[in-house]
Amino acid sequence: MNPSVFLSGMAMGLSLIMPIGAQNAFVLKQGLRNEYIFTVCLMCALSDAVLIVAGVSGFARVAAWLPWAEPVMRYGGAAFLAWYGFRSLRAALRSDAALRAHAEADSERAPFGRIALACLALTWLNPHVYLDTMVLLGSVSSQFGEQRAAFAAGAASGSFLFFFSLGYAARWLRPVFARPLAWRVLDGVIVVVMWSIAWRLVTGA
């Protein structure tokens, strides 16, 4: 396994998953409540891993059958990254304290079944999950040829790293991310990463 390809996959996976969204807010809330943290993080990370492997494997087969699919997906992926970066830039400029509502710890322990269903729904019913994992990561993986497996392993590892870090570190991060400035800084980093990857996809650099 090529370490640089593995790290590229991890960086790409982290860049896509880090912007705040419904799923991340849910994991953060469970971490703040200290409730089913391991199970919630595991379900999110395993779901990502399944979709990433499907995207990398499926795209490889499609590219073999349809030679024009690779450039279409590559430029489409670059356009999506550029839009994603723009969205993060807009969030960085307009960031507010909306996440605080998700971070409030409830006093009663919720039933596990309800938490599990909510977690799976936020993951599998979110169309952006499929765009990020099966389409975008599948497209980018084609750039690495026989090292696609290393790229997929890195991206999946990024999901595990992010979700478990977010879930278990939530209690210590609460004072920091209660401030809109923290999300502005994070979104600013995402802008740089997204646009730099989009540039490399377009130029082949």
Side-chain angles (χ1 to χ4, degrees), residues 126-146:
N126 181 2
H128 286 293
V129 170
Y130 298 94
L131 286 173
D132 291 349
T133 55
M134 299 189 71
V135 177
L136 186 55
L137 289 176
S139 173
V140 174
S141 70
S142 67
Q143 306 296 308
F144 297 99
E146 296 180 355

Side-chain angles (χ1 to χ4, degrees), residues 27 37-39 41-42 45 159-169:
V27 174
I37 301 175
F38 180 83
T39 305
C41 294
L42 185 63
S159 292
F160 276 88
L161 176 63
F162 175 79
F163 283 121
F164 278 94
S165 297
L166 179 63
Y168 283 100

